[in-house]
Amino acid sequence: MEHEKLEELNRLKSFYVSSVSHDLKTPLTSIKLFSQLLQNMEGINPESVEYLKIIDGESNRLTRLIDNVLDYTKIEKGIKEYLFVDIELNNLVKEVMASVEYPIKMEKFDASVNLCAEDIYLSGDKDAIAEALINLISNAIKYSRERKKITVSTEFKDSYACLKVEDEGIGISKENIKLVFDEYYQIKKGKSNRTRGAGIGLAVVKHIMDAHKGKIQVESEVGKGSSFYLLFPLRENE
Ligand code: ADP
């Protein structure tokens, strides 16, 4: 009985969350569009441009959050689709890093990128991999306090292409590490008082990795920082 009740509640929650998310996207698109139009208006003073950039950046953040929620509801319903194409991972990382330049600067983070000297070809869904990487980077931003350092690197690791996101933030305890990929899981005693996500970012990343027949691994130490590894099987092995 209890189980059925919980399932029903879960279905209702998914429905509610997905309808609200859809409705939020339209006004958000207008906010973004008009903030960009205003930024490019003649005679606008530099201070206003700065504020408009903040509006733009925050709209992007909200859009990402909503996309995660929508993606997750698709995953729950089993209707999330992936489009596999040939990808060069280093290029994809460069594109993603360019797109997160603004929040990284705003949050005063120092971001380094160490790309493997060789091109890394794999078959994957470009948008999904970008989304996975953005999720890891935004977590690194959210869960770091004093030491604001993010390192993104790519390398070959056995028969996998490895994409690593490393931070020097608050870290995750041993008992919580097993739980962070669960949907709606957020570590309760999170000392960070910043706006947090919906607790589904890593569950979405895990699903993306499963769809790529890949793996996600994490190493972390409380107070020292965390490293998330996304491992994609190389094309030759398929
Ligand atoms: P959200 O960030 O929206 O809460 P996620 O699924 O992305 O949800 O992450 C789940 C939980 O795992 C977070 O609430 C946080 O406690 C922990 N976590 C994720 N990434 C990190 C990180 N880089 N450093 C420390 N804790 C993290």
Side-chain angles (χ1 to χ4, degrees), residues 136-173:
L136 295 183
I137 295 171
S138 55
N139 277 351
I141 295 177
K142 277 193 284 184
Y143 303 111
S144 295
R145 285 178 299 161
E146 292 91 23
R147 295 182 309 275
K148 297 182 166 219
K149 172 110 185 75
I150 300 175
T151 311
V152 179
S153 32
T154 58
E155 60 175 349
F156 290 102
K157 211 174 178 188
D158 306 323
S159 54
Y160 290 91
C162 175
L163 176 54
K164 177 177 170 193
V165 178
E166 211 176 338
D167 65 55
E168 296 181 13
I170 62 173
I172 309 166
S173 69

Side-chain angles (χ1 to χ4, degrees), residues 178-237:
K178 297 179 248 63
L179 304 168
V180 291
F181 299 110
D182 292 355
E183 55 271 32
Y184 305 112
Y185 180 78
Q186 296 185 308
I187 294 164
K188 295 284 181 305
K189 283 189 301 199
K191 293 157 207 134
S192 143
N193 53 4
R194 310 172 35 96
T195 324
R196 303 186 347 128
I200 53 172
L202 288 179
V204 170
V205 178
K206 169 92 175 60
H207 194 272
I208 292 171
M209 293 317 291
D210 288 346
H212 285 80
K213 299 191 174 65
K215 299 186 215 174
I216 178 163
Q217 292 171 351
V218 53
E219 282 168 4
S220 188
E221 204 176 319
V222 173
K224 287 249 167 82
S226 313
S227 299
F228 284 83
Y229 301 82
L230 301 184
L231 297 157
F232 298 92
L234 291 168
R235 274 201 311 208
E236 292 80 39
N237 307 320

